Amino acid sequence: MYKRILIKLSGEGLANKSKSLAIDYELVQKFAKQLKSIINKKIQVAIVIGGGNFWRGTSAEKNGIPRVRADYIGMLATTMNALALQSGFEKEKLTCRVLSSLSMDPKVCEEYINEKAIKYLNNGEIVIFAGGTGRPFFTTDTAATLFASEIGADAILMGKNNVDGVYDSDPKLNKNAKKFHKITFDEVLTRNLKVLDQTAASMAKDNKIDIVIFNILEDDSLKKVIENDIPHTVITTKE
Ligand code: UDP
């Protein structure tokens, strides 16, 4: 059983396209209920949230905004999501802190300081990391491995939209795609599997942090993945 986990939520995982909602508040409420039961098990929870439901630096660059600026807009998008999650969690009476890698007005959220994050986690508070790594040219997957390393998380739970693990080819295109229950980072890198970006994979490998891939859209997925109760793939350094 994990003691401290970091959950990576993609921005797109928060959206509800059929209702044209950038943030599906009902879904946030569902996450909050599951987190409550995880916290009750005395598991500490940190979250890195993406921003893809609002903005992606690479797509904006194609429309003429310089990449560095486009990426800062993306980091602000992650901060908007972090604040929305915080409200959703507080509604469920969970104590939750938003710590940002970017300097923000303290009325908006707190600045990330490692000791502060550890203190909050030890108090049983949920810590949401906003602003990604705080630098352009990175993704929030890399931020997840960076923060998991900094806070000494046992594992990163990386929820995907409608994919329940790592396959040797795209299961949406190839009916015979083979799924891995466990796979090493080396294999993910050499096979060039597109499950997470290469910077994130090599950092997780160097810091020996397992990454668990599962389908975030399955009912109660966060709770179930902790209980080993839904299909998933563990990416690990252990053979
Ligand atoms: N971003 C960045 N540096 C980081 C993390 C994110 O510049 O450390 C920017 C980048 O433009 C990215 C956007 O924020 O496209 C949203 O993050 P991401 O694409 O990782 O979100 P997700 O796909 O998880 O929703």
Side-chain angles (χ1 to χ4, degrees):
M1 184 60 92
Y2 299 125
K3 288 197 166 63
R4 179 177 288 165
I5 54 168
L6 185 141
I7 301 170
K8 161 70 210 292
L9 293 175
S10 80
E12 258 164 47
L14 287 187
N16 184 329
K17 286 191 183 125
S18 58
K19 290 188 194 160
S20 303
L21 293 173
I23 299 173
D24 183 341
Y25 213 62
E26 270 174 37
L27 187 67
V28 172
Q29 236 40 76
K30 283 187 189 161
F31 286 147
K33 288 204 168 71
Q34 296 175 60
L35 291 178
K36 206 166 193 178
S37 82
I38 294 171
I39 298 266
N40 284 341
K41 289 195 179 116
K42 304 271 175 267
I43 299 172
Q44 299 180 4
V45 177
I47 295 175
V48 166
I49 177 73
N53 50 332
F54 288 123
W55 190 268
R56 266 184 217 292
T58 42
S59 347
E61 192 185 21
K62 288 183 198 123
N63 295 330
I65 299 180
R67 173 66 187 267
V68 172
R69 182 156 297 149
D71 277 345
Y72 279 113
I73 300 175
M75 289 180 249
L76 292 172
T78 72
T79 310
M80 294 197 282
N81 281 334
L83 295 171
L85 283 181
Q86 183 182 35
S87 315
F89 296 170
E90 284 172 352
K91 217 167 160 190
E92 279 301 314
K93 309 258 179 302
L94 288 162
T95 335
C96 174
R97 306 276 186 161
V98 175
L99 303 185
S100 174
S101 307
L102 297 171
S103 304
M104 298 290 286
D105 189 300
K107 291 195 282 302
V108 180
C109 62
E110 298 175 56
E111 185 186 351
Y112 168 70
I113 296 172
N114 180 260
E115 290 77 8
K116 210 155 70 164
I118 305 283
K119 189 179 101 186
Y120 294 153
L121 289 167
N122 285 336
N123 282 347
E125 298 176 76
I126 295 175
V127 171
I128 305 177
F129 296 113
T133 62
R135 306 300 304 221
F137 298 103
F138 288 112
T139 63
T140 48
D141 282 1
T142 303
T145 51
L146 180 66
F147 283 115
S149 310
E150 288 199 34
I151 65 168
D154 302 314
I156 299 172
L157 307 186
M158 198 172 273
K160 297 280 171 189
N161 284 2
N162 281 325
V163 192
D164 65 356
V166 181
Y167 289 77
D168 62 355
S169 57
D170 187 343
K172 284 174 195 143
L173 304 175
N174 176 8
K175 270 203 315 250
N176 301 318
K178 176 178 162 272
K179 186 178 158 202
F180 301 96
H181 180 61
K182 190 172 133 182
I183 184 169
T184 62
F185 287 104
D186 285 338
E187 219 176 332
V188 168
L189 291 165
T190 50
R191 283 174 180 258
N192 199 18
L193 300 174
K194 301 275 182 255
V195 56
L196 74 166
D197 67 71
Q198 300 231 342
T199 319
S202 51
M203 190 186 292
K205 178 190 160 199
D206 290 347
N207 294 302
K208 300 191 172 48
I209 298 170
D210 287 356
I211 299 187
V212 185
I213 308 285
F214 61 101
N215 180 5
I216 190 82
L217 297 180
E218 180 156 326
D219 279 346
D220 282 342
S221 60
L222 291 174
K223 206 168 133 243
K224 285 185 185 158
V225 77
I226 300 255
E227 291 161 358
N228 205 354
D229 201 21
I230 46 167
H232 61 272
T233 298
V234 181
I235 314 176
T236 178
T237 47
K238 297 162 207 112
E239 290 285 345

